[in-house]
Amino acid sequence: MSFIRISALFLLFLSLSHCAIDPGFSDIPEIEFVSFSKDTLIQNSLNTDSLFLTIAFRDGDGDLGSGDQSVMENIILTDERTGVIFDRFVVPEIPVSGISSGIEGEIIMKVFTTCCVFPDGTPPCLSPPAFPTNELSFEIQMIDDSGNRSNSLLTDSVILLCN
């Protein structure tokens, strides 16, 4: 009977020590584009269409989503067509924030539609027959609670239907 208890304690110790193994993540956040929930949006200046954008993240010191109210909007989306910030998001509170072995996971953000931008100077949100679509992609960057900026990534393109 004691052999079984010793074996069980040994297995428990191994499983706990395995959880504490440092995965070797950098203290600077790293992000990766995962997916869009769909590949088209209908243009509009109002929030009439949307999609979900998923990114993966990892951070070695785990200081993302700490719930610190002084950290505001730490995911930044920039419209690649214009170079203008499109939207900002706050990383939700992550209960294991601050652990020494780092954190990783995925974040899903709801992104609303926008207007088409036309190369001939036609005002946005119109429907000129010569330009039925736009390709919309985003540059994304994340900032952790210490102010470390992640890599910048470029998403795949979404087709913005202008008509």
Side-chain angles (χ1 to χ4, degrees):
M1 187 71 158
S2 69
F3 176 73
I4 294 173
R5 286 185 184 175
I6 291 172
S7 297
L9 286 174
F10 181 71
L11 289 174
L12 178 63
F13 174 74
L14 278 179
S15 65
L16 290 176
S17 65
H18 178 70
C19 293
I21 293 173
D22 184 351
F25 300 156
S26 170
D27 288 350
I28 297 172
E30 298 172 25
I31 57 174
E32 178 181 327
F33 173 72
V34 175
S35 67
F36 283 123
S37 61
K38 59 185 189 176
D39 58 4
T40 59
L41 283 171
I42 299 170
Q43 82 155 342
N44 200 311
S45 59
L46 303 173
N47 295 339
T48 56
D49 197 5
S50 63
L51 54 73
F52 291 99
L53 163 61
T54 304
I55 62 169
F57 70 90
R58 63 174 55 138
D59 187 56
D61 57 5
D63 64 345
L64 286 171
S66 66
D68 182 351
Q69 297 302 315
S70 68
V71 177
M72 301 299 292
E73 302 166 335
N74 46 3
I75 300 175
I76 302 166
L77 272 63
T78 302
D79 185 334
E80 275 297 296
R81 301 170 306 160
T82 63
V84 174
I85 292 177
F86 182 84
D87 209 345
R88 296 173 186 254
F89 296 89
V90 175
V91 173
E93 186 171 352
I94 301 171
V96 294
S97 183
I99 61 173
S100 62
S101 60
I103 56 174
E104 66 180 329
E106 290 186 346
I107 297 175
I108 301 171
M109 298 163 276
K110 187 172 188 176
V111 178
F112 289 97
T113 193
T114 188
C115 292
C116 292
V117 176
F118 306 106
D120 67 352
T122 299
C125 274
L126 295 181
S127 301
F131 305 106
T133 63
N134 265 185
E135 284 192 21
L136 175 64
S137 59
F138 300 103
E139 177 185 355
I140 304 175
Q141 193 169 50
M142 178 183 281
I143 304 167
D144 69 14
D145 296 349
S146 299
N148 295 316
R149 290 184 172 267
S150 73
N151 56 303
S152 290
L153 67 85
L154 185 62
T155 66
D156 291 347
S157 293
V158 172
I159 301 300
L160 194 54
L161 303 174
C162 305
N163 291 332

